[in-house]
Amino acid sequence: MTTAKTKTRLNIGHEPKAFEKKNVWNVEEITALLDEENGTLDPRIYSDQDLYELEQERVFGRSWIMLGHEAHVPKAGDFLTAYMGEDPVILVRQKDRSLKVFLNQCPHRGMRICRTDGGNAKSFTCSYHGWAYDIGGNLVNVPYESEAFCEDFNKAEWGPGQARVETYKGLIFANWDKNAPNLREYLGDATFYMDHMLDRTEAGTEVISGMQKWVIPCNWKFAAEQFCSDMYHAGTVSHLSGIEAGLPEGMELSDAKIPTVGYQFRAKWGGHGTGFYVGEPGMLVAIMGPKIAKYWTEGEAAARAERRLGSAERARQLMVQHMTVFPTCSFLPGINTVRTWQPRGPNETEIWAFTVVDADAPDEIKEEYRRQTLRTFSAGGVFEQDDGENWVEIQAVLRGHQARKRRLNIQMGKGRSAADNPHYPGSIGYVYNEEAARGLYHQWIRMMTEPDWDTLGPK
Amino acid sequence: MRVELFDEPIALFNLDGEILATQDRCTHGDWSLADGFLENGVIECTLHWGKFCVRTGKVKAPPACAALTVYPVKVEGNDVYVDFESGKVND
């Protein structure tokens, strides 16, 4: 008598039907963390370990996460190791010029497949037992495969998980969720404002080589929120000493006039936000020096940007623009620092920053961007210190029970933004505003509570 | 460089102007040696870092343990001739 050998289906990971992570916070409790109507926010969003773990699945597992610039990986085999939330990934340029992003984890015993920051590879080999992958993330070699593994072992089933990859004008984004909208749809009306930095010339942008990485003890949302929504700190006290200390020769503090005109944008959908002053280039001169201010506002490059953007105001007169693409891609057009805020627990963030420049900018301007972004926004940058100091202190304060009990004020500009500006898309309000921050947290709460893209997607 | 003309692809190496030919497939892990790193006449496979002398085919580093087949080469002008019939393994 023979028994037919029944083949059981191999269980390699799974497609969850609903949220996986056991929820100690119910939907009502998470929704109550932000009261948009009254403008209050529960500070536990920055400190709670359980919320943090939900975020990994619900926000970082489903959003488009920026990993780097196309110029980081120009040739076939060029790669960067990066993170989507706490998940390590490898980003690799393929022979057909496409990009792949896959989990930097060997599915055998869980070891990191690639242990360096970046470079050029013909293959990736796990340093534990030697399982080897091609640059597309396909498992191509298993030592002692025929001698030691079972008959139904199939290498095709044992590659690391692949993410979706799409680019917007040089920036590379990845997403684990196959049901998420495509990147363009996800960015929506935010692209209009991204173009102020990314689309000033038909040559596009390139990166000044190198990626700076450093760790600060605070929650990632302080940084993401500030770049999304907070011009207030720049117009009040945070950066005054930095500006004063770094004034270019011959410039008086009174020349670095803080403009009074400016706007803030809250994306119609998606939690993206930006803000900028209009006119008065003094602030840009004070931060980046006269050479860059001149390049940005006058001359051939500025004229070309004006033609491409179809607006002299957008090309030459928007000053000190700050921006966040939800959740963690932030940048400052004009200053041209680009960064991601990589969560490392509720109390820690790893900042990965690089600088972009117009690809056809003169070498002298590229060098000046390198010097000035190092001086202002980098691990040792003077303005970076001002920002970090505030975020880190707030995080330290939030160790206190009383400090976590009291809801924070997020009322600025409440009810004053409108989607009827003839020149700027989205919901537009005055530059000193927290409407974009409310938008960021609104999106965060939706992602933390809504189980699928059927309801989450842009309508 | 990898040359695929016959069943067994071969790898051509340029050692300061001297052209040498071996089998392209690593004897350990079935991977193209032409993708590897060549240094001082030794090719290192990118897959598991086994090394071979490209002149003799002999193993220079584990986990490889079988030598490569090496082929006689003749260069005439810009043409490289490889004698596939006379490939041999130096044990």
Side-chain angles (χ1 to χ4, degrees), chain A residues 5 19 45 68 72 115 127 182 234 329 332 356-357 380 428 434:
Chain A
K5 193 180 167 193
F19 287 140
I45 65 163
H72 279 126
R115 301 174 66 183
S127 60
N182 67 41
C329 166
L332 303 174
V356 299
V357 285
I428 301 297
E434 279 159 355

Side-chain angles (χ1 to χ4, degrees), chain A residues 38-175:
Chain A
N38 294 302
T40 65
L41 183 68
D42 190 318
R44 286 176 297 173
I45 65 163
Y46 304 114
S47 61
D48 188 90
Q49 183 72 36
D50 294 313
L51 286 175
Y52 178 82
E53 283 166 24
L54 293 176
E55 256 177 9
Q56 290 300 310
E57 177 192 23
R58 300 177 182 188
V59 176
F60 292 97
R62 305 197 289 170
S63 301
W64 283 98
I65 307 295
M66 199 271 288
L67 302 180
H69 191 286
E70 293 214 55
H72 279 126
V73 285
K75 301 189 302 293
D78 285 351
F79 71 94
L80 281 183
T81 50
Y83 284 87
M84 295 168 70
E86 294 241 41
D87 281 309
V89 294
I90 311 177
L91 158 70
V92 200
R93 176 76 68 183
Q94 306 297 300
K95 285 180 178 159
D96 66 359
R97 304 284 308 144
S98 67
L99 293 159
K100 293 240 185 201
V101 170
F102 50 89
L103 193 65
N104 189 1
Q105 183 199 34
C106 182
H108 174 220
R109 311 299 312 140
M111 175 58 180
R112 213 179 279 272
I113 294 167
C114 176
R115 301 174 66 183
T116 60
D117 292 341
N120 184 277
K122 306 286 188 187
S123 54
F124 297 98
T125 303
C126 176
S127 60
Y128 195 2
H129 304 94
W131 281 30
Y133 304 84
D134 67 16
I135 59 173
N138 303 297
L139 179 61
V140 292
N141 186 275
V142 171
Y144 300 108
E145 179 183 347
S146 57
E147 297 91 330
F149 279 78
C150 42
E151 265 174 33
D152 55 5
F153 177 75
N154 177 4
K155 287 204 287 293
E157 288 174 329
W158 290 102
Q162 298 271 347
R164 293 166 63 190
V165 195
E166 290 178 30
T167 63
Y168 183 74
K169 295 186 181 174
L171 297 184
I172 302 166
F173 294 77
N175 194 322

Side-chain angles (χ1 to χ4, degrees), chain A residues 435-447:
Chain A
E435 181 65 20
R438 290 188 289 273
L440 179 116
Y441 293 121
H442 175 85
Q443 177 72 8
W444 182 84
I445 281 166
R446 289 193 63 191
M447 298 215 69

Side-chain angles (χ1 to χ4, degrees), chain A residues 409-425:
Chain A
N409 181 307
I410 188 165
Q411 294 178 324
M412 202 188 329
K414 194 162 61 72
R416 291 191 183 182
S417 292
D420 58 0
N421 188 294
H423 305 296
Y424 294 101

Side-chain angles (χ1 to χ4, degrees), chain A residues 200 295 297-308 315-316:
Chain A
R200 300 179 73 79
Y295 176 77
T297 59
E298 302 169 24
E300 182 43 42
R304 196 169 40 211
E306 180 179 329
R307 285 194 298 274
R308 285 188 77 76
R316 302 166 184 263

Side-chain angles (χ1 to χ4, degrees), chain A residues 141-444:
Chain A
N141 186 275
V142 171
Y144 300 108
E145 179 183 347
S146 57
E147 297 91 330
F149 279 78
C150 42
E151 265 174 33
D152 55 5
F153 177 75
N154 177 4
K155 287 204 287 293
E157 288 174 329
W158 290 102
Q162 298 271 347
R164 293 166 63 190
V165 195
E166 290 178 30
T167 63
Y168 183 74
K169 295 186 181 174
L171 297 184
I172 302 166
F173 294 77
N175 194 322
W176 294 115
D177 193 331
K178 64 181 191 319
N179 297 317
N182 67 41
L183 179 63
R184 284 278 181 149
E185 224 183 310
Y186 178 89
L187 295 173
D189 46 9
T191 59
F192 180 89
Y193 301 94
M194 298 172 79
D195 289 352
H196 297 166
M197 179 177 73
L198 297 172
D199 198 7
R200 300 179 73 79
T201 157
E202 55 281 2
T205 54
E206 62 180 31
V207 293
I208 290 172
S209 69
M211 177 97 75
Q212 283 213 357
K213 304 175 182 180
W214 68 98
V215 177
I216 57 175
C218 73
N219 189 276
W220 66 272
K221 289 188 286 300
F222 288 118
E225 182 209 307
Q226 186 190 291
F227 275 64
C228 179
S229 179
D230 191 340
M231 190 69 99
Y232 194 42
H233 79 291
T236 51
V237 297
S238 262
H239 296 306
L240 292 185
S241 63
I243 288 173
E244 191 170 0
L247 277 183
E249 220 178 304
M251 191 176 178
E252 299 289 325
L253 195 56
S254 56
D255 299 329
K257 227 168 110 187
I258 298 172
T260 53
V261 179
Y263 303 109
Q264 188 189 81
F265 152 84
R266 169 180 171 168
K268 185 163 160 257
W269 175 91
H272 323 305
T274 185
F276 43 82
Y277 293 123
V278 177
E280 297 283 356
M283 276 281 265
L284 185 61
V285 181
I287 296 170
M288 293 297 279
K291 261 189 209 169
I292 284 179
K294 197 168 172 203
Y295 176 77
W296 194 260
T297 59
E298 302 169 24
E300 182 43 42
R304 196 169 40 211
E306 180 179 329
R307 285 194 298 274
R308 285 188 77 76
L309 298 170
S311 156
E313 182 169 292
R314 289 173 65 206
R316 302 166 184 263
Q317 291 156 29
L318 301 199
M319 290 302 143
V320 203
Q321 184 182 345
H322 55 78
M323 185 155 194
T324 291
V325 169
F326 184 88
T328 47
C329 166
S330 294
F331 47 90
L332 303 174
I335 294 164
N336 286 11
T337 175
V338 183
R339 63 267 312 282
T340 55
W341 318 106
Q342 320 243 3
R344 296 290 180 268
N347 304 302
E348 196 165 280
T349 300
E350 210 169 294
I351 305 175
W352 288 27
F354 57 92
T355 300
V356 299
V357 285
D358 291 341
D360 56 3
D363 287 346
E364 186 196 8
I365 292 297
K366 291 178 182 174
E367 170 60 11
E368 187 68 1
Y369 262 110
R370 187 190 67 78
R371 290 179 60 244
Q372 295 290 3
T373 49
L374 271 179
R375 191 182 70 76
T376 54
F377 288 93
S378 70
V382 289
F383 299 112
E384 199 84 46
Q385 307 307 311
D386 299 337
D387 291 330
E389 188 68 9
N390 286 309
W391 306 333
V392 166
E393 281 295 307
I394 304 167
Q395 197 73 38
V397 170
L398 289 179
R399 294 169 70 100
H401 177 69
Q402 299 303 321
R404 282 201 296 257
K405 213 166 68 173
R406 174 74 187 262
R407 292 174 75 92
L408 301 173
N409 181 307
I410 188 165
Q411 294 178 324
M412 202 188 329
K414 194 162 61 72
R416 291 191 183 182
S417 292
D420 58 0
N421 188 294
H423 305 296
Y424 294 101
S427 182
I428 301 297
Y430 187 50
V431 64
Y432 297 138
N433 214 324
E434 279 159 355
E435 181 65 20
R438 290 188 289 273
L440 179 116
Y441 293 121
H442 175 85
Q443 177 72 8
W444 182 84

